Amino acid sequence: MMNKINPTKTESWKKLLGHYDAIKDTQMKKLFQEGDRAAEFTLKWKDFYVDYSKNRITAETMQHLRDFAKEMKLGEALDAYFGGEVINETEGRAVMHTALRAPADAKITVDGENIVDEINETKQKIKNFSETIISGSHKGFTGKAITDVVNIGIGGSDLGPDMVTEALAYYKNHLNIHFISNVDGDHVHENLQKLNPETTLFVVVSKSFTTQETLSNANTARNWFIRKNAQPGEDRQKDVAKHFVAVSTNLEAVKEFGIAEENIFTMWDWVGGRFSIWSAVGLTIAISVGYNNFESFLKGAHAMDEHFKNSDFDKNIPVTLALLTVWYNNFFKAESEAIIPYTQYLHRLPAYLQQATMESNGKSVDQNGDPVDYQTGTIIWGEPGTNSQHAFFQLIHQGTKIIPTDFIGYKESLHGDQDHHNKLMANYLAQTEALMTGKTEVEVRKELKDTGMAGTEIDKLAPFKVFEGNKPTNSILINKLTPESFGALIAMYESKIFVEGMLWNIFSFDQWGVELGKQLAKNVLKDINGDDIAKHDSSTTALINYFKG
Ligand code: G6Q
């Protein structure tokens, strides 16, 4: 079971506080003059090179942080996590998404029951089905092959498949893939107007199959399918089976919706929505890039799981990254972290990690049910480099806030344009260097003087051109964006999230805040659709009336 220790009451936390006072103003630039920091603070694993030397740390910092992890019993928590214990206590569930990417002959049990056989069965079904769609042997109601696949889901049932499909677009086949998530009717209708019912497959993804957004969109899509260009007397009801499949744990509700039993891909309670891409929620990914690539994606994630489970903390990438997060979040009081992928393919990664991180660790009650008196989940944000350099990097360089930033890049580009790739990666490398070193007033003055500027002008301008530097970054460099390395990258962040939650003594795997949102709108919808309005505050009542009027 989890340890339920208050982190701030540990000996190592106290040591970290003292150490923080001693080190907080130290310039990284100075630390780089002593010893080989790059060698000391770089982790290499398979095709990953993770340099965390540009952080406000020394060997002593890392030692204290690792002692803290030990005192918080991280090792035991890892055993409970991988061992299928009910670590999602408030929902009474084990957390087993890692089992979905384990090898076919693994032995994994939940509540004493082997779960690997049913996982393998579902994988086989994903394989078979995706192959019939890709090859065109699955025919629509007029005998034509499928050309367009529409994933209907929201949150964990949308962000993952959307993000991975984009990330692996280079490996994509001929099929057009679409995502409908928002209950905004403009989203569904904008998408539907481009589609032909004869050649469209809808994949309705909802773990609960009760989610308002997804059911509304699925109903609208089904009505569209039944009516679009239908001839008088034509009954497409029976053809729904050829064009709608579902991924869900709620088989009854799916059948009631009208989806045939053989078109249902099961998932399990022990898979959280935001960790579900590895399950049949990834069906759209398998259809988009082919099952073999999907399997490679799982394989890469499993390899990272093994690294996470078996590596000592000082060699462990997710543990190290999580410890750095705690260091900045709880000692430097950093509120957010930026994720900057230097590849356009990963443009949805920050949004995906926003959900994974913020839904997991955005908690203010500890595992004992007591309010925490320390900071927990960080705010995650980001956009691809180099675009973000021309936008919000200003604040990272010269703003008042400390924003630890992950730079993610690849040694090789996929289309092989070396000229572009060198420019891209020169930006990545130069930014991490500049964020660390900054630019002193002396350097600024010299630079301005070299342009021939007059002394009075230099006096005026110099303060604005100074860069404080000392901004922390992690440089994650991977050989190539492949399904396998990408699976490993996602698993790296998932494991990091788990470690953070565990070190903050919170439950990372429930999401009561999201559940609340699901209920609230239902009440207001009654007010909007009905004649009477229930009691609200005066602002909400006036807004409802204004909207209705
Ligand atoms: C994920 C969350 C949430 C969930 C969506 C969709 O961890 O619980 O994002 O995935 O609310 O839920 P359904 O899949 O049940 O429709």
Side-chain angles (χ1 to χ4, degrees):
M1 290 313 274
M2 305 301 264
N3 60 65
K4 308 192 185 231
I5 302 168
N6 180 335
T8 64
K9 301 284 184 290
T10 58
E11 275 311 301
S12 36
W13 187 278
K14 283 171 209 148
K15 283 199 188 139
L16 278 163
L17 278 175
H19 176 67
Y20 167 73
D21 273 337
I23 197 184
K24 63 179 193 293
D25 298 320
T26 307
Q27 293 288 315
M28 281 189 258
K29 212 164 32 176
K30 242 179 124 216
L31 296 173
F32 266 94
Q33 287 161 6
E34 304 153 13
D36 186 352
R37 272 181 82 79
E40 190 176 0
F41 300 115
T42 295
L43 297 173
K44 291 181 198 158
W45 170 81
K46 286 183 174 260
D47 54 348
F48 277 55
Y49 182 97
V50 180
D51 175 344
Y52 63 102
S53 64
K54 294 189 183 87
N55 279 292
R56 292 162 78 165
I57 53 160
T58 61
E60 195 188 335
T61 321
M62 293 314 295
Q63 193 51 54
H64 286 315
L65 286 167
R66 286 192 288 264
D67 289 346
F68 169 57
K70 282 190 198 123
E71 218 180 326
M72 290 300 289
K73 302 205 175 359
L74 177 58
E76 288 169 31
L78 271 166
D79 290 342
Y81 176 48
F82 284 104
E85 286 186 33
V86 180
I87 62 168
N88 178 358
E89 285 187 31
T90 62
E91 293 181 332
R93 291 173 191 163
V95 175
M96 293 309 290
H97 54 273
T98 53
L100 297 164
R101 51 215 194 199
D105 57 357
K107 304 251 170 312
I108 303 168
T109 53
V110 168
D111 284 340
E113 284 200 26
N114 174 25
I115 54 169
V116 180
D117 291 345
E118 40 185 333
I119 294 173
N120 290 341
E121 234 171 77
T122 301
K123 280 188 190 166
Q124 189 61 44
K125 194 166 169 176
I126 298 173
K127 181 175 192 293
N128 296 346
F129 185 72
S130 57
E131 281 169 0
T132 64
I133 299 296
I134 297 166
S135 69
S137 64
H138 176 107
K139 304 287 185 215
F141 69 97
T142 55
K144 292 184 184 162
I146 297 297
T147 57
D148 290 77
V149 179
V150 184
N151 190 96
I152 300 181
I154 195 163
S157 299
D158 163 76
L159 272 165
D162 189 4
M163 181 279 291
V164 179
T165 307
E166 292 289 307
L168 300 182
Y170 179 78
Y171 301 89
K172 222 184 131 302
N173 53 35
H174 61 286
L175 294 162
N176 304 311
I177 310 287
H178 314 264
F179 289 87
I180 298 175
S181 52
N182 201 324
V183 75
D184 177 1
D186 289 344
H187 192 196
V188 58
H189 290 292
E190 187 62 38
N191 273 284
L192 290 177
Q193 70 181 6
K194 296 179 243 168
L195 299 168
N196 175 356
E198 293 172 76
T199 55
T200 300
L201 173 78
F202 292 94
V203 181
V204 185
V205 186
S206 178
K207 183 177 163 185
S208 61
F209 224 79
T210 57
T211 305
Q212 183 200 52
E213 290 88 341
T214 303
L215 292 191
S216 302
N217 284 326
N219 274 312
T220 301
R222 187 184 47 191
N223 291 339
W224 169 87
F225 170 78
I226 289 169
R227 292 188 199 129
K228 172 86 179 174
N229 300 335
Q231 301 306 311
E234 185 184 344
D235 177 17
R236 281 194 204 149
Q237 196 70 42
K238 61 180 186 335
D239 300 319
V240 166
K242 296 193 182 92
H243 293 265
F244 282 78
V245 298
V247 181
S248 187
T249 53
N250 189 350
L251 307 189
E252 284 316 306
V254 179
K255 278 193 258 172
E256 212 168 288
F257 176 86
I259 292 178
E261 187 150 8
E262 64 271 21
N263 288 348
I264 306 175
F265 293 78
T266 44
M267 58 186 293
W268 305 273
D269 261 356
W270 39 259
V271 186
R274 58 194 170 278
F275 300 101
S276 62
I277 26 169
W278 321 99
S279 71
V281 170
L283 179 62
T284 307
I285 305 171
I287 292 175
S288 164
V289 296
Y291 186 78
N292 285 348
N293 280 323
F294 182 62
E295 190 137 280
S296 300
F297 175 65
L298 301 183
K299 199 172 146 211
H302 174 69
M304 180 57 83
D305 287 341
E306 290 292 296
H307 162 79
F308 175 49
K309 191 161 55 167
N310 301 322
S311 306
D312 292 342
F313 293 168
D314 61 341
K315 308 257 170 353
N316 198 312
I317 298 173
V319 170
T320 303
L321 296 179
L323 290 173
L324 291 167
T325 292
V326 171
W327 180 230
Y328 292 116
N329 185 60
N330 297 92
F331 296 89
F332 285 87
K333 311 291 181 214
E335 297 228 311
S336 75
E337 284 177 2
I339 311 270
I340 311 294
Y342 276 70
T343 160
Q344 198 57 34
Y345 286 116
L346 302 198
H347 71 110
R348 295 288 290 154
L349 180 69
Y352 175 79
L353 292 177
Q354 251 167 8
Q355 178 185 24
T357 312
M358 292 161 75
E359 199 168 284
S360 299
N361 289 340
K363 312 284 165 66
S364 53
V365 167
D366 71 13
Q367 293 192 7
N368 300 304
D370 297 324
V372 295
D373 55 0
Y374 47 89
Q375 289 291 313
T376 62
T378 44
I379 299 161
I380 297 291
W381 56 290
E383 280 284 320
T386 57
N387 303 19
S388 48
Q389 290 173 207
H390 295 265
F392 55 73
F393 263 50
Q394 166 64 36
L395 186 143
I396 302 181
H397 279 289
Q398 286 189 310
T400 53
K401 295 179 172 59
I402 176 168
I403 301 170
T405 304
D406 282 359
F407 281 67
I408 302 167
Y410 292 88
K411 281 182 78 177
E412 272 180 58
S413 75
L414 292 181
H415 286 276
D417 189 326
Q418 203 58 41
D419 174 50
H420 274 270
H421 198 60
N422 290 350
K423 286 175 185 157
L424 173 75
M425 293 309 290
N427 273 283
Y428 167 126
L429 299 168
Q431 286 290 335
T432 62
E433 186 177 31
L435 286 164
M436 190 270 285
T437 52
K439 203 185 267 181
T440 62
E441 190 170 340
V442 174
E443 287 166 324
V444 171
R445 284 180 170 278
K446 182 177 178 314
E447 238 182 53
L448 293 176
K449 197 161 173 229
D450 289 349
T451 66
M453 192 179 274
T456 48
E457 278 302 298
I458 293 177
D459 289 345
K460 254 199 246 163
L461 197 54
F464 302 100
K465 301 197 80 168
V466 169
F467 289 76
E468 192 184 44
N470 222 18
K471 314 284 188 203
T473 59
N474 293 314
S475 302
I476 300 165
L477 201 50
I478 305 165
N479 280 358
K480 191 173 167 182
L481 174 53
T482 61
E484 198 165 336
S485 73
F486 191 57
L489 182 71
I490 301 301
M492 177 192 90
Y493 277 112
E494 284 183 353
S495 304
K496 173 181 186 260
I497 291 165
F498 166 77
V499 177
E500 288 168 8
M502 152 50 222
L503 297 177
W504 289 322
N505 188 32
I506 53 175
F507 287 125
S508 296
F509 296 102
D510 59 19
Q511 59 285 310
W512 300 108
V514 176
E515 307 303 330
L516 173 71
K518 291 188 183 186
Q519 287 152 19
L520 287 179
K522 282 189 193 147
N523 298 335
V524 176
L525 188 60
K526 271 193 216 138
D527 296 336
I528 290 175
N529 289 335
D531 294 332
D532 303 324
I533 297 181
K535 192 159 170 42
H536 299 276
D537 59 84
S538 63
S539 160
T540 310
T541 306
L543 284 163
I544 294 172
N545 277 321
Y546 187 75
F547 175 72
K548 287 173 83 164

